[in-house]
Amino acid sequence: MNSDLTRATAAELADALATKTVSSVEVTQAHLDRIAAVDEQVHAYLHVDAEGALAAARSIDERRAAGESLPALAGVPIAVKDVMTTRGIPTTCGSRTLEGWVPPYDATVVTRLRAQGMPILGKTNMDEFAMGSSTEHSAYGPTRNPWDLERIPGGSGGGSSAVVASFQAPLAIGTDTGGSIRQPAAVTGTVGTKPTYGGVSRYGLVALASSLDQAGPCARSVLDTALLHSVIGGHDPMDSTSIEAPVPAVVEAARNGDVSGMKIGIVRELGGEGYQPGVRARFDEAVQLLVDRGAEVIEVSCPNFDYALAAYYLILPSEASSNLAKFDAMRYGLRILPDGVDDPSAEQVMAASRDAGFGDEVKRRIILGTYALSSGYYDAYYGSAQKVRTLIAQDFERAFAKVDVLVSPTAPTTAFRFGDKLDDPMAMYLNDIATIPANLAGVPGMSLPSGLADEDGLPAGIQILAPAMRDERLYTVGAALERALADRWGGLLIDRAPQLDASMVKGA
Amino acid sequence: MTTASMTTDEVMDYDEAIARFDPVMGLEVHVELSTETKMFCGCATAFGAPPNSQVCPVCLGLPGALPVVNATAVESAMRIGLALNCEIAEWCRFARKNYFYPDMPKNFQTSQYDEPIAFDGHLDVQLDDGSTYRIEIERAHMEEDTGKSLHIGGATGRIHGADHSLVDYNRAGIPLIEIVTKPIVGAGERAPEVARAYVSALRDLMRALDVSDVKMEQGSMRCDANVSLRPRVGDDHSGPEQLAVPLGTRTETKNVNSLRSVERAVRYEISRHAAILAGGGSILQETRHWHEDTGVTTSGREKSDAEDYRYFPEPDLVPVAPPRETVEALRATLPEPPAERRRRLQTEWGYSDLEMRDVVNAGAVELIEETAALGTSAQAARKWWLGEPSRRANAAAQDLVTYAAGLGFTPGDVAELEAMVKAGRLNDSMARQVLDGVLDGEGHPVEVADARGLELVQDDAALEAAIDEVIAANPDVAEKIRGGKVQAAGALIGQVMKAMKGQADAGKARQLILDKLQ
Ligand SMILES: [Zn+2]
């Protein structure tokens, strides 16, 4: 294991902790030191809970010293996207409207992390209420991509991928509504999985679009991702949409990684035109590596994927417009009294507070959703979008009748520069074109690095999609590919990321 | 301060209104289920708990919280549906009804929209003259209650003009079943009575199902009455020509919190609509508030067709798909329908139609049933329950069951009282005194009789002496009785009772007087 504890994988840390080679306090402190050194530049954390993390670490160390048998990841620290409620730790969702809000309860995912004995380092930055693909819509300023501080780290979960990519945490929790785990993983050279819808509890995940949201693991390796997936997954009686079935055998699959005889489908509609040449080149090579390892590749067509983006941008705003109605300044959050109004009514306070508390992208989607659900428009918009959703699910079904998994580039491009797409919502939305179908159909997807694009030297990602509740296939294929690429690169891609040290920070 | 409550609307004489117009009603009744926990979380539902003491992240709508359906509430909803002769959906969903209001934590109400759990049923209700009227049920659906706003300051207790408002979320998330009728047509002048009879029948049904407290005064049963008028055509309110006339514009009257109010509010709205229509005006589609004290409705918020709740299926909940075996198993748990039960009890008890109606209207059926089960005759049980206890319950504006429960006055007390009468310890007037004492909280009947020293004098010698004195003092009356005018004995009995200070058995006195004079 690397002598720098922040560069170790979660699996390595877990082994070292189990054998008492290191203590959780040492591991946690090393990450807190790293955060202190580099996060001023990366801005991946919205809140760091040093005290709470160290207290949790001390408790685990004591229990281990007392001879208690502990869970697999006990003592391994983690970062949590600021969209999951954390008891006693502020939760803002990247929005002004929740500035300073401290939830009185833990999300189920957080409860499971605490039960596992994982110190929570802090909360990671995100586009406001998870609306965006760059973190530029965070009310607290964007996160910078550790590979190039002038570029976006992806979104909405740019913070979670960036903390992992910049060694400020070995693991992080993300959420994925249309690609918010996978696209940031792709542009930061890390790994991230959106589990099957219902595979991980949504209780305590502040909803963007309830029928699309799914929490999942972010890490630097496929095995680490699987370890975290198995900890947070499984049925939760507090979430009615949670699946009553055991977590798929993701860790075993990640350790095995044998793709010989597997059928891999390349989705015709997710590639070609509109995809950056370097992204396509790395994708093609990655597919070849899987073939070299015994997989069979078939091209499949999912014709209705062409309508996925349009359907998504009706369903998501519709649900979001309703989910975000609760932020009305009556019970918690920002309260603004309207200017120049004596004795304002509750409605006027609601309006003024929502106007001041929400950013432009949030307002844009609330307006879109309110319109799409209006009587007289419902059938044409929300109703039609739901039909498209069914057609997309049928496309997946047909494809999975022929192949075990589907693959595509995760995002059409590598990380773009700040401001490039900020004034062009459509261009921003197109970033999620390859990731959205999985959310609409509820199937699981993973992104892992495929290499660096020739034209800009930035990470590109490959996406793997599997049938619902067959999440383990993502890890089989992901592990196989990761090993093949590691053989070629002599290690993980992330090891080639630029060092973010104090001298570089000052020069930036 | 609202000006609406200051103005007095013109109303037309009711008979004239009915002669000129045909009333159509639609009744929406909300029933709060008496489940242990709320519709979508594990919070308790007890009435009257300190404000905001029965809340959690789910029913407060905190960010991230999710609903989970209360299986008992779904079961109650299906039992209600079955008892209303409804179809039970094989598959249905919850929907979100979106609107902003401070007492609604999520700013949407989780309800059902176009996929209710129960639909297409009917309920037969009995009118005062014993005839039956069939109310068609459109649907019964599940939803959650809102919190309760308390507006402080201002003249009206309404949100406008209040200095500030407080919200209690204890009620937020309590399971509600909303039962909606199809348009009630053809009732003519009996429309108000039909409305009351329907709500009364629903109340009895909910009690029999044991799914709700149905206390209208506490809001666990609430009625919204929709009323519209259309011109009269033909002789008969239920004739085909009349039924073919398109419906008029309706108003929805809320805050109707007693059976009597249901009848009065419908009657008032018919008279008010009629005055407007007869004057060439048109009805504004709006919500009206019923004022129990003044007996009028006033304008609430305008409810235009443009109001858009943006319903869509609730994505946080999975569909409800009750297996048919479950539905049939629930059907088997249904109690005897209240109307049938009443007919059976009337026969068992030997009551006349009028007696039975009085008992039903007094809400005394269950009390009498329990009392009779303790060995008291049905006639005696009726006499006692419909006497002083009913009078006092009315004076306290409570229903008899609530009043008796609040006092701890039970069927056992009535049985004890009547047993003393039958044993000859008390006469009727003494029993009434004892009952007064029991209702005044002095104890159970035997205790009260003991404490007040009420007991018939069993000493025949004292009674005979008193009788002899009275006969001697009234020779002319005594002569009449000897001559066969038996009814003249009453005058003597009164004097004997007076001499005995009431503590004698009047029947026995009568017998002795007659024995002596015949
Ligand atoms: Zn609750």
Side-chain angles (χ1 to χ4, degrees):
Chain A
M1 190 173 75
N2 200 301
S3 62
D4 179 353
L5 292 174
T6 65
R7 301 195 70 93
T9 65
E12 289 167 344
L13 289 173
D15 287 346
L17 285 160
T19 57
K20 299 183 194 167
T21 314
V22 293
S23 70
S24 180
V25 168
E26 287 169 328
V27 175
T28 303
Q29 189 59 58
H31 284 94
L32 291 170
D33 292 346
R34 175 75 181 170
I35 293 167
V38 305
D39 202 46
E40 202 179 314
Q41 287 305 298
V42 182
H43 189 49
Y45 280 100
L46 289 179
H47 182 87
V48 176
D49 184 23
E51 209 175 296
L54 286 169
R58 267 194 299 277
S59 158
I60 278 298
D61 288 342
E62 280 162 18
R63 287 168 62 190
R64 201 185 301 278
E68 209 176 304
S69 106
L70 296 169
L73 291 179
V76 178
I78 188 166
V80 176
K81 189 176 179 182
D82 207 27
V83 74
M84 311 288 301
T85 59
T86 41
R87 188 187 179 104
I89 308 174
T91 299
T92 68
C93 300
S95 180
R96 280 283 167 233
T97 200
L98 277 181
E99 191 166 7
W101 183 60
V102 181
Y105 79 104
D106 275 332
T108 296
V109 164
V110 173
T111 302
R112 289 183 182 177
L113 298 178
R114 294 198 205 266
Q116 188 78 191
M118 299 177 75
I120 293 168
L121 294 165
K123 306 296 290 290
T124 61
N125 196 15
M126 57 187 284
D127 288 291
E128 184 176 5
F129 288 110
M131 298 184 195
S133 306
S134 69
T135 71
E136 288 167 292
H137 294 303
S138 168
Y140 304 98
T143 295
R144 294 165 183 277
N145 191 322
W147 289 78
D148 179 346
L149 296 173
E150 296 308 311
R151 289 177 188 263
I152 61 105
S156 67
S160 283
S161 291
V163 293
V164 172
S166 58
F167 301 95
Q168 300 189 66
L171 298 169
I173 298 294
T175 63
D176 189 314
T177 304
S180 289
I181 289 176
R182 290 164 287 160
Q183 180 256 8
V187 299
T188 58
T190 58
V191 185
T193 297
K194 179 202 94 72
T196 298
Y197 182 78
V200 176
S201 170
R202 290 187 298 114
Y203 189 75
L205 192 180
V206 181
L208 164 55
S210 311
S211 72
L212 302 164
D213 296 342
Q214 186 57 206
C218 305
R220 291 187 291 264
S221 78
V222 171
L223 177 59
D224 282 5
T225 310
L227 288 168
L228 182 53
H229 188 150
S230 69
V231 164
I232 59 175
H235 181 245
D236 175 14
M238 298 291 278
D239 175 0
S240 311
T241 60
S242 159
I243 296 169
E244 281 194 76
V247 189
V250 293
V251 176
E252 292 77 356
R255 291 194 198 279
N256 175 340
D258 179 5
V259 291
S260 56
M262 276 186 90
K263 288 193 179 127
I264 292 173
I266 295 177
V267 186
R268 190 182 302 148
E269 287 77 11
L270 301 179
E273 211 47 41
Y275 286 74
Q276 192 178 316
V279 171
R280 279 156 64 182
R282 295 297 87 80
F283 173 72
D284 292 342
E285 289 165 17
V287 171
Q288 187 54 48
L289 286 174
L290 291 171
V291 172
D292 295 347
R293 295 213 154 202
E296 186 189 338
V297 171
I298 301 164
E299 193 183 64
V300 296
S301 176
C302 295
N304 293 296
F305 284 18
D306 289 346
Y307 310 109
L309 192 73
Y312 177 82
Y313 275 100
L314 287 169
I315 292 168
L316 178 143
S318 296
E319 293 184 10
S321 70
S322 173
N323 283 330
L324 296 183
K326 61 168 66 81
F327 300 101
D328 63 1
M330 292 296 116
R331 291 160 300 277
Y332 46 78
L334 183 75
R335 177 179 288 190
I336 298 288
L337 300 180
D339 270 346
V341 181
D342 293 333
D343 196 15
S345 69
E347 272 174 13
Q348 288 170 316
V349 174
M350 286 181 186
S353 302
R354 287 167 67 81
D355 186 29
F358 290 147
D360 288 348
E361 182 63 21
V362 173
K363 288 177 188 162
R364 183 179 294 131
R365 296 200 197 184
I366 289 175
I367 292 167
L368 272 172
T370 304
Y371 188 78
L373 288 177
S374 300
S375 74
Y377 298 101
Y378 179 92
D379 289 339
Y381 293 130
Y382 190 79
S384 302
Q386 290 294 4
K387 285 179 195 150
V388 170
R389 193 171 186 172
T390 304
L391 293 174
I392 286 169
Q394 288 168 356
D395 277 0
F396 270 116
E397 256 171 59
R398 271 193 294 272
F400 286 130
K402 287 186 226 151
V403 298
D404 299 308
V405 295
L406 296 171
V407 292
S408 76
T410 309
T413 68
T414 55
F416 47 88
R417 289 180 190 282
F418 288 116
D420 268 8
K421 300 185 179 179
L422 200 51
D423 298 326
D424 185 354
M426 266 314 287
M428 189 77 94
Y429 296 170
L430 279 167
N431 236 273
D432 297 329
I433 191 128
T435 46
I436 279 171
N439 299 84
L440 288 172
V443 304
M446 171 193 280
S447 177
L448 76 156
S450 58
L452 301 178
D454 297 324
E455 54 273 24
D456 52 22
L458 290 167
I462 176 172
Q463 171 177 240
I464 308 162
L465 303 169
M469 286 314 287
R470 302 313 302 267
D471 304 47
E472 75 280 1
R473 291 186 191 168
L474 308 175
Y475 292 93
T476 302
V477 177
L481 182 58
E482 184 181 63
R483 274 172 219 168
L485 288 166
D487 285 349
R488 175 181 286 194
W489 299 330
L492 295 175
L493 184 69
I494 195 68
D495 294 334
R496 290 201 269 157
Q499 297 288 316
L500 291 169
D501 55 26
S503 63
M504 198 186 145
V505 166
K506 284 193 184 87
Chain B
M1 160 140 158
T2 58
T3 47
S5 59
M6 300 291 136
T7 60
T8 313
D9 289 295
E10 259 188 71
V11 292
M12 184 185 283
D13 171 72
Y14 184 74
D15 293 336
E16 191 190 344
I18 290 297
R20 296 178 61 179
F21 298 98
D22 176 52
V24 177
M25 297 184 293
L27 299 171
E28 294 169 17
V29 175
H30 285 87
V31 175
E32 259 186 11
L33 296 181
S34 53
T35 48
E36 291 286 310
T37 56
K38 293 187 179 180
M39 187 75 218
F40 300 117
C41 65
C43 287
T45 56
F47 182 81
N52 297 310
S53 63
Q54 295 174 350
V55 294
C56 74
V58 176
C59 57
L60 282 178
L62 291 189
L66 294 175
V68 176
V69 173
N70 180 337
T72 309
V74 176
E75 206 175 278
S76 296
M78 289 193 282
R79 291 181 72 230
I80 290 170
L82 289 168
L84 291 170
N85 305 292
C86 287
E87 304 284 322
I88 303 299
E90 292 190 14
W91 188 93
C92 67
R93 286 184 291 191
F94 286 92
R96 291 188 185 176
K97 181 181 184 181
N98 295 285
Y99 63 101
F100 282 83
Y101 204 77
D103 66 13
M104 212 169 44
K106 297 166 293 186
N107 284 321
F108 61 78
Q109 181 188 30
T110 306
S111 178
Q112 293 195 286
Y113 180 48
D114 49 359
E115 297 162 338
I117 182 91
F119 53 92
D120 288 350
H122 64 263
L123 182 64
D124 289 335
V125 304
Q126 213 177 353
L127 303 184
D128 286 349
D129 65 357
S131 65
T132 297
Y133 193 94
R134 174 160 290 192
I135 305 283
E136 303 287 343
I137 305 292
E138 167 95 28
R139 56 189 281 154
H141 72 245
M142 302 178 277
E143 59 184 36
E144 57 179 338
D145 212 341
T146 61
K148 231 180 201 164
S149 298
L150 186 63
H151 305 295
I152 312 292
T156 60
R158 308 259 294 274
I159 192 165
H160 297 292
D163 295 330
H164 65 277
S165 301
L166 299 171
V167 189
D168 176 5
Y169 292 104
N170 282 353
R171 200 181 69 177
I174 288 189
L176 287 181
I177 304 298
E178 181 176 342
I179 301 162
V180 183
T181 66
K182 291 184 176 156
I184 300 170
V185 297
E189 75 282 3
R190 305 186 73 172
E193 186 197 345
V194 166
R196 174 178 47 73
Y198 167 68
V199 177
S200 171
L202 265 189
R203 192 183 63 170
D204 291 344
L205 189 62
M206 298 304 137
R207 279 205 188 120
L209 289 165
D210 195 21
V211 291
S212 170
D213 296 337
V214 282
K215 290 182 180 163
M216 292 190 82
E217 71 282 2
Q218 285 184 4
S220 58
M221 180 165 176
R222 312 196 277 272
C223 177
D224 299 339
N226 290 277
V227 172
S228 67
L229 298 187
R230 54 184 172 184
R232 269 309 285 279
V233 180
D235 302 332
D236 184 359
H237 282 281
S238 52
E241 307 99 312
Q242 181 66 72
L243 297 181
V245 178
L247 300 184
T249 304
R250 70 191 161 85
T251 55
E252 182 180 8
T253 302
K254 291 183 177 287
N255 196 32
V256 190
N257 293 331
S258 70
L259 292 179
R260 192 165 153 262
S261 297
V262 172
E263 184 163 2
R264 288 172 73 208
V266 167
R267 193 182 170 94
Y268 177 83
E269 278 296 283
I270 289 172
S271 288
R272 191 183 66 84
H273 283 215
I276 293 171
L277 294 172
S282 55
I283 304 297
L284 188 64
Q285 186 174 339
E286 61 177 354
T287 301
R288 310 274 306 175
H289 280 271
W290 169 250
H291 300 272
E292 178 80 51
D293 47 351
T294 50
V296 302
T297 66
T298 57
S299 177
R301 71 199 149 92
E302 199 172 316
K303 189 171 189 174
S304 67
D305 282 331
E307 189 159 17
D308 186 353
Y309 293 119
R310 289 171 285 118
Y311 281 102
F312 73 105
E314 166 59 276
D316 285 330
L317 291 169
V318 290
V320 176
R324 292 299 97 179
E325 311 84 77
T326 308
V327 174
E328 289 318 307
L330 288 173
R331 197 190 299 277
T333 70
L334 293 183
E336 182 182 11
E340 277 177 36
R341 177 160 171 270
R342 248 174 245 155
R343 274 192 291 277
R344 175 176 60 79
L345 289 174
Q346 185 181 346
T347 309
E348 279 177 22
W349 294 344
Y351 288 178
S352 68
D353 287 352
L354 190 67
E355 285 171 338
M356 192 65 196
R357 200 186 76 197
D358 288 347
V359 164
V360 169
N361 287 346
V365 175
E366 284 74 23
L367 294 168
I368 290 175
E369 193 181 20
E370 286 176 48
T371 309
L374 296 171
T376 307
S377 78
Q379 286 298 350
R382 185 182 61 79
K383 179 184 80 179
W384 292 122
W385 280 113
L386 264 52
E388 189 63 12
S390 286
R391 198 193 59 76
R392 292 198 188 199
N394 268 336
Q398 284 181 323
D399 66 71
L400 185 57
V401 170
T402 309
Y403 169 77
L407 219 60
F409 179 64
T410 65
D413 288 327
V414 174
E416 188 176 316
L417 183 71
E418 176 63 17
M420 281 194 285
V421 173
K422 281 195 87 175
R425 177 175 170 180
L426 301 179
N427 62 20
D428 192 68
S429 109
M430 292 162 84
R432 285 176 203 282
Q433 292 177 53
V434 170
L435 182 57
D436 282 343
V438 174
L439 297 176
D440 288 341
E442 292 171 21
H444 293 294
V446 172
E447 293 166 1
V448 174
D450 289 349
R452 293 193 175 191
L454 291 169
E455 176 144 26
L456 282 176
V457 174
Q458 302 291 349
D459 180 354
D460 286 358
L463 183 58
E464 281 191 46
I467 288 170
D468 290 342
E469 265 177 53
V470 169
I471 289 174
N474 297 278
D476 48 336
V477 179
E479 202 49 45
K480 280 184 189 166
I481 296 169
R482 282 196 190 94
K485 290 196 108 185
V486 175
Q487 59 270 43
L492 297 186
I493 294 167
Q495 292 188 43
V496 170
M497 295 304 286
K498 202 171 168 190
M500 294 294 291
K501 298 191 170 67
Q503 307 225 349
D505 183 335
K508 199 168 192 175
R510 178 186 170 85
Q511 197 53 54
L512 286 172
I513 291 169
L514 293 180
D515 287 352
K516 283 178 189 288
L517 297 178
Q518 286 181 330

